[in-house]
């Protein structure tokens, strides 16, 4: 029970740490992480968000690195969007809360992200994600984009949506572009707390699989 709850609470932090290492990103004095599609599962209060990302913040602050988390999503809890920003000097962490879709967010002047995460986005299931996916593909030219999913099946379905949208972005001069740093990969730091699927017999786990987008071509 305790281990399962621990895995659920810290899966986002531990997944980010694992992905940064897997991507070979060397951390400098400041790291900026865009968290796209936030809807309250990251926490409905600043304290809850701090708890969710505490393992990451402990690691970065111990190394003297400033951590900036930018939580973005049209379904971001109102309590967070009204605050707009929060800082935790003791762990060298700042948070920015933006109640917008990603395609709206990227039209503003914004800090360059070190890496972008979409946790359990379900982009395969919602047409409303498609404009954001186009923007995420563009972002992947400057920073890796990690998309996690509840199961292998959902991860494969996410890839199909991404491939379809990426094909539409190709030009005759860019047919050799590779959008993936890695395709569907099981995450060793997934949540161990199962949840039933509403559409299949699969047992789902938060961030069980992930893909990484990083433009090269």
């Amino acid at each position: 029970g305790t281990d399962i709850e621990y895995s659920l609470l810290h899966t986002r932090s531990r997944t980010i740490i694992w992905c940064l290492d897997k991507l070979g990103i060397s951390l400098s004095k400041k790291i900026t992480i865009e968290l796209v599609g936030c809807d309250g599962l990251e926490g409905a209060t600043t304290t809850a968000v701090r708890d969710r990302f505490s393992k990451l913040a402990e690691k970065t602050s111990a190394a003297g690195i400033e951590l900036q988390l930018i939580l973005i999503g049209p379904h971001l809890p109102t309590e967070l969007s009204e605050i707009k920003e929060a800082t935790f000097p003791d762990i060298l962490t700042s948070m920015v809360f933006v109640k917008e879709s990603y395609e709206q967010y990227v039209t503003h002047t914004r800090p360059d992200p070190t890496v972008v995460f979409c946790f359990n986005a379900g982009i395969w299931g919602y047409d409303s994600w498609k404009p954001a996916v186009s923007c995420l593909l563009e972002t992947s030219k400057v920073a890796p984009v990690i998309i996690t999913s509840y199961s292998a099946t959902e991860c494969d379905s996410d890839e199909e949506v991404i491939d379809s949208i990426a094909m539409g972005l190709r030009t005759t001069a860019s047919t050799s572009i590779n959008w993936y740093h890695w395709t569907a990969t099981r995450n060793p730091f997934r949540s161990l707390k199962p949840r039933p699927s509403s559409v299949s017999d699969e047992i789902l786990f938060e961030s069980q699989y992930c893909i990484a987008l990083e433009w090269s071509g």
Side-chain angles (χ1 to χ4, degrees):
T2 305
D3 288 347
I4 289 174
E5 293 304 323
Y6 179 94
S7 74
L8 178 63
L9 177 63
H10 296 299
T11 181
R12 284 169 174 75
S13 270
R14 297 167 83 205
T15 298
I16 291 171
I17 293 167
W18 175 67
C19 286
L20 289 172
D21 183 59
K22 189 173 170 65
L23 289 162
I25 293 176
S26 54
L27 303 182
S28 55
K29 292 182 180 179
K30 183 172 183 177
I31 177 172
T32 297
I33 301 177
E34 293 178 350
L35 301 163
V36 180
C38 294
D39 58 5
L41 284 178
E42 286 73 20
T45 64
T46 55
T47 302
V49 176
R50 175 179 170 143
D51 288 346
R52 278 272 188 272
F53 294 96
S54 61
K55 293 297 178 190
L56 173 63
E58 287 166 13
K59 184 177 177 68
T60 51
S61 61
I65 297 166
E66 290 181 49
L67 173 65
Q68 182 180 45
L69 300 175
I70 305 177
L71 285 74
I72 307 154
H75 305 297
L76 193 74
T78 303
E79 184 173 337
L80 295 180
S81 63
E82 288 179 347
I83 294 168
K84 291 189 169 59
E85 294 187 33
T87 56
F88 298 97
D90 59 315
I91 50 171
L92 302 179
T93 298
S94 62
M95 301 175 188
V96 179
F97 306 106
V98 185
K99 196 180 180 75
E100 291 182 341
S101 64
Y102 193 63
E103 62 271 23
Q104 290 172 307
Y105 172 72
V106 297
T107 63
H108 311 309
T109 301
R110 72 196 220 262
D112 291 332
T114 310
V115 65
V116 181
F117 281 83
C118 310
F119 285 108
N120 310 296
I123 61 175
W124 62 273
Y126 301 93
D127 284 345
S128 56
W129 264 105
K130 289 181 177 178
V133 171
S134 294
C135 295
L136 289 164
L137 285 163
E138 287 297 319
T139 295
S140 78
K141 295 177 180 179
V142 294
V145 176
I146 312 297
I147 300 170
T148 78
S149 49
Y150 288 104
S151 71
T153 302
E154 290 193 9
C155 198
D156 288 342
S157 297
D158 283 347
E159 278 188 28
E160 288 176 11
V161 173
I162 291 163
D163 290 344
S164 171
I165 293 170
M167 284 298 291
L169 297 177
R170 290 178 191 269
T171 66
T172 52
S174 62
T175 52
S176 63
I177 287 176
N178 176 26
W179 296 103
Y180 291 100
H181 190 99
W182 67 74
T183 51
T185 301
R186 199 165 195 218
N187 174 13
F189 298 105
R190 62 193 175 276
S191 166
L192 301 177
K193 186 166 188 173
R195 50 183 288 172
S197 169
S198 59
V199 295
S200 74
D201 294 333
E202 276 191 303
I203 303 297
L204 309 179
F205 299 88
E206 281 196 22
S207 298
Q208 184 177 188
Y209 281 81
C210 67
I211 57 177
L213 303 175
E214 191 171 25
W215 181 88
S216 62

